[in-house]
Amino acid sequence: MTAGQQRVAQRPADQPATEDQHAQPRLAPLLVRAWRSGSVASVLSTFAVSVCSRCRSGRAAAGTNAASQWIWYPEARAAARVSLKFTAVGYAIHHASSVFWATGYEALRPQHARLPGRVARAAGIAALAYVVDYHVVPRRLSPGFEHSIGAVGLWSAYAAFAIGLLAATRPATRTTSVPASRLIARPVRLRHPGRTATTVRSPGH
């Protein structure tokens, strides 16, 4: 087998590795953006839950404690004081859920959309999260804080979540490029007589 035939035979085997190299950089930035926007959304929504829980039940930690019902059901719903068992676990669950929904938000490429498009994406993900949390999953897997913050607090929490997603979005910078139709081929004479070369220059050069 000649050297040329060996190179042709090796090309199909090299293609999957090349495709994997191009796929990996795309996933990593998505997860980084999801972690950033999900973290901001988690903090803002937790703040809203704490304020509403304080106003309604007199205990700011009651709403966050309720989220730990994934593990400590049903006593998590009655826990009102700050504790490592309920508060820390409840926030960890809420934070993980926020990053999960933020992954879906970032998959919609909000950084490439205008402000109305980013608002629509954030509001849509928040609405979808509400529907899944309270109309799809079992009661034990819901946030559980609705009895501590009430209906107004519930809407405030999901609105704060959407605002967090929106606030963490960094619009992509747009670069302008010269269209190919505006490029003009101009002949350039070389020093050697009888030889010419053609280069492509933009009108501004």
Side-chain angles (χ1 to χ4, degrees), residues 20-96:
D20 292 341
Q21 292 175 356
H22 288 288
Q24 290 177 359
R26 297 179 181 177
L27 181 60
L30 172 65
L31 297 179
V32 171
R33 294 194 306 269
W35 177 261
R36 180 180 65 242
S37 58
S39 297
V40 175
S42 175
V43 171
L44 290 184
S45 56
T46 298
F47 177 77
V49 169
S50 300
V51 171
C52 295
S53 180
R54 174 73 177 178
C55 295
R56 183 178 176 87
S57 64
R59 297 286 185 175
T64 302
N65 291 344
S68 65
Q69 67 177 353
W70 283 30
I71 300 175
W72 313 119
Y73 185 85
E75 59 266 28
R77 286 176 168 264
R81 297 183 178 182
V82 177
S83 66
L84 184 63
K85 177 179 179 181
F86 296 109
T87 310
V89 173
Y91 179 76
I93 293 174
H94 177 68
H95 192 91

Side-chain angles (χ1 to χ4, degrees), residues 112-182:
H112 296 289
R114 298 183 181 274
L115 180 59
R118 297 197 297 271
V119 172
R121 286 166 170 81
I125 290 296
L128 178 61
Y130 167 77
V131 171
V132 173
D133 287 343
Y134 286 100
H135 298 282
V136 177
V137 300
R139 183 181 183 184
R140 180 170 182 171
L141 299 182
S142 68
F145 47 54
E146 67 281 355
H147 69 285
S148 299
I149 63 178
V152 175
L154 193 64
W155 287 105
S156 299
Y158 283 93
F161 179 79
I163 293 174
L165 294 178
L166 183 63
T169 303
R170 300 177 181 177
T173 56
R174 299 181 178 180
T175 57
T176 57
S177 58
V178 180
S181 58
R182 296 180 58 184

